[in-house]
């Protein structure tokens, strides 16, 4: 039993379970503990996440969870054959309304001064390579399904829609390449601590907890774009005020460069929401989940023209001086 393993290996009595969608979490006194399951041990990656966590704590971010050492002096523990590690957060301030854009800008500001080399968690300059690989893999799946003929509604929608989304992905890659050629970088474009997918819920559960296992090292545009995408899909018809507020609050700590805005836009052009739905469907998930993904894909396709409108109006709603910054517009939108 996990609670027994934690008591034996850490001497911590877990008093009550906390609700969480992603990881098991427990309270003990004034500390929230989060259990991170490990399917395997990548020592280099774990070391990088440990260093990033320690650094952000040293920079004064008290919401960052820290790695907890076991009684044996190790960060990695076991329950039977299952490996895990424990994160602790002692700043249990209940979530309350705050300016998320400004909080994120401050988080990025702190992370930009991290000076140690990052390899496993690093995504700087890798978008083009990763996007091309993703497109190629899905194109191969699409060709297989095209020749074998779709067997259900999901596959029919996939076969019919993929050429459009492949074209959108290729547009995003070209926009990214042009951005790297056309715009110079400034101090705000330095790599920083980012998230695999940043959205409201990461920092607004019962408590504000910043989990190092949500992080990657990347350009801050990643988080701005992914928050914007998630916010749009959560409020398809009413996203405008929230988007404007978020970007306004983010810029209150410093104006973004043309390179930053263009990188943000390239990422929004790349239809990761579509690709993720297709990829998950073919990862042998349960029938219940497949049914859910079929509905999700159908919704993406039905609303595709709304997403084009979102892309068309993104800079206008975010109040970006496109002409002054010489940011390229996408002709077909």
């Amino acid at each position: 039993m996990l609670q027994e393993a934690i008591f034996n290996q850490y001497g911590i009595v877990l008093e009550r379970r906390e609700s969480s969608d992603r990881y098991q979490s427990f309270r003990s006194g004034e500390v929230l503990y989060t259990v991170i399951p490990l399917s395997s041990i990548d020592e280099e990656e774990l070391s990088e996440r440990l260093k990033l966590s320690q650094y952000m704590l040293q920079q004064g971010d008290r919401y960052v969870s820290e790695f907890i050492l076991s009684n044996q002096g190790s960060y990695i523990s076991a329950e039977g054959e299952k490996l895990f590690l424990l994160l602790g957060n002692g700043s249990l301030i209940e979530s309350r309304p705050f300016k998320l854009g400004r909080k994120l800008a401050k988080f990025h500001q702190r992370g930009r001064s991290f000076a140690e080399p990052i390899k496993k968690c690093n995504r700087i300059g890798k978008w083009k390579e990763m996007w091309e690989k993703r497109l190629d893999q899905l194109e191969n799946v699409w060709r297989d399904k095209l020749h074998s003929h779709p067997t259900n509604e999901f596959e029919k929608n996939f076969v019919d829609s993929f050429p459009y989304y492949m074209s959108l992905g290729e547009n995003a890659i070209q926009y990214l390449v042009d951005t790297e050629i056309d715009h110079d970088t400034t101090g705000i474009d330095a790599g920083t601590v980012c998230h695999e997918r940043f959205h409201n819920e990461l920092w607004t559960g019962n408590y504000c907890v910043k989990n190092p296992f949500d992080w990657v090292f990347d350009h801050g545009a990643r988080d701005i774009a992914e928050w914007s995408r998630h916010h749009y899909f959560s409020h398809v018809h009413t996203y405008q005020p929230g988007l404007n507020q978020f970007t306004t609050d983010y810029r209150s700590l410093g104006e973004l460069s043309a390179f930053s805005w263009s990188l943000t836009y390239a990422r929004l052009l790349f239809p990761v929401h579509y690709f993720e739905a297709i990829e998950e469907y073919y990862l042998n998930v349960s029938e219940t989940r497949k049914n859910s993904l079929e509905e999700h894909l159908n919704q993406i396709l039905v609303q595709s023209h709304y997403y084009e409108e979102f892309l068309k109006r993104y800079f206008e709603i975010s109040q970006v001086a496109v002409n002054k910054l010489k940011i390229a517009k996408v002709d077909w939108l």
Side-chain angles (χ1 to χ4, degrees):
M1 190 176 175
L2 183 60
Q3 286 175 275
E4 186 178 341
I6 290 174
F7 177 73
N8 290 336
Q9 296 175 58
Y10 295 89
I12 296 170
V13 177
L14 301 179
E15 297 167 1
R16 73 170 188 266
R17 188 186 295 266
E18 290 286 339
S19 61
S20 174
D21 293 335
R22 294 177 301 134
Y23 299 107
Q24 290 192 67
S25 298
F26 302 87
R27 280 284 299 271
S28 181
E30 295 304 309
V31 180
L32 178 72
Y33 292 100
T34 303
V35 180
I36 307 294
L38 302 173
S39 56
S40 61
I41 299 175
D42 186 325
E43 292 187 1
E44 189 174 6
E45 180 188 337
L46 292 177
S47 175
E48 288 179 1
R49 294 193 185 282
L50 172 62
K51 288 176 183 176
L52 289 170
S53 169
Q54 291 174 332
Y55 180 79
M56 295 300 277
L57 283 164
Q58 289 165 5
Q59 292 297 301
D61 196 326
R62 58 198 174 129
Y63 299 107
V64 170
S65 296
E66 61 179 320
F67 285 59
I68 306 297
L69 274 172
S70 71
N71 296 332
Q72 289 74 40
S74 171
Y75 289 113
I76 299 169
S77 298
E79 179 206 3
E81 296 183 359
K82 296 178 181 177
L83 300 174
F84 70 94
L85 59 77
L86 204 59
L87 300 177
N89 193 300
S91 295
L92 292 187
I93 298 174
E94 294 192 9
S95 290
R96 56 185 183 276
F98 56 79
K99 293 182 177 180
L100 185 64
R102 185 177 174 86
K103 288 280 187 184
L104 180 64
K106 185 66 177 178
F107 184 81
H108 286 165
Q109 199 175 67
R110 286 173 168 145
R112 285 191 194 101
S113 52
F114 184 82
E116 292 191 53
I118 291 290
K119 181 181 177 182
K120 289 286 183 155
C121 298
N122 183 34
R123 302 292 183 271
I124 291 280
K126 296 184 178 181
W127 294 8
K128 180 175 180 288
E129 174 191 344
M130 295 174 82
W131 292 356
E132 287 175 336
K133 182 179 179 181
R134 204 162 190 172
L135 268 179
D136 289 344
Q137 288 174 336
L138 271 183
E139 186 177 5
N140 289 334
V141 175
W142 175 72
R143 290 190 187 282
D144 286 344
K145 297 302 173 185
L146 189 64
H147 292 137
S148 63
H149 301 297
T151 59
N152 57 37
E153 189 69 20
F154 183 95
E155 292 192 344
K156 182 181 183 301
N157 283 336
F158 169 45
V159 166
D160 290 345
S161 64
F162 182 73
Y164 167 79
Y165 285 96
M166 182 170 68
S167 176
L168 198 55
E170 289 169 344
N171 268 268
I173 291 168
Q174 188 58 54
Y175 197 94
L176 174 65
V177 170
D178 292 344
T179 293
E180 293 173 343
I181 293 171
D182 295 342
H183 296 294
D184 295 326
T185 57
T186 66
I188 205 166
D189 296 307
T192 186
V193 183
C194 290
H195 301 76
E196 188 69 40
R197 293 282 185 274
F198 186 68
H199 52 82
N200 277 359
E201 287 73 24
L202 280 186
W203 290 0
T204 57
N206 292 336
Y207 306 103
C208 183
V209 172
K210 300 178 183 178
N211 187 331
F213 285 82
D214 292 330
W215 299 349
V216 290
F217 195 80
D218 206 341
H219 191 287
R222 180 192 192 101
D223 284 347
I224 297 170
E226 294 307 330
W227 182 91
S228 300
R229 189 198 313 271
H230 188 273
H231 176 74
Y232 162 78
F233 279 112
S234 299
H235 310 276
V236 172
H237 300 294
T238 58
Y239 68 87
Q240 296 90 339
L243 174 61
N244 176 275
Q245 188 65 54
F246 176 81
T247 51
T248 298
D249 291 342
Y250 188 96
R251 295 156 70 185
S252 66
L253 290 186
E255 190 53 72
L256 292 173
S257 66
F259 183 85
S260 284
W261 280 122
S262 298
L263 213 57
T264 300
Y265 199 64
R267 194 165 185 95
L268 287 172
L269 278 172
F270 191 77
V272 70
H273 52 283
Y274 172 85
F275 294 143
E276 283 181 341
I278 306 298
E279 289 162 351
E280 187 181 350
Y281 186 88
Y282 288 111
L283 282 175
N284 298 317
V285 294
S286 69
E287 282 304 313
T288 302
R289 182 58 183 152
K290 283 190 173 185
N291 291 335
S292 175
L293 286 167
E294 185 175 312
E295 292 177 17
H296 179 52
L297 177 61
N298 189 56
Q299 188 176 37
I300 289 173
L301 301 183
V302 167
Q303 295 179 349
S304 60
H305 61 292
Y306 291 130
Y307 192 72
E308 285 189 7
E309 185 67 18
F310 163 67
L311 292 172
K312 184 177 181 180
R313 298 193 59 204
Y314 180 78
F315 286 133
E316 173 198 340
I317 293 165
S318 299
Q319 295 183 308
V320 180
V322 174
N323 293 332
K324 180 183 176 183
L325 295 173
K326 298 180 180 177
I327 293 172
K329 297 177 182 177
V330 179
D331 295 335
W332 55 268
L333 285 172

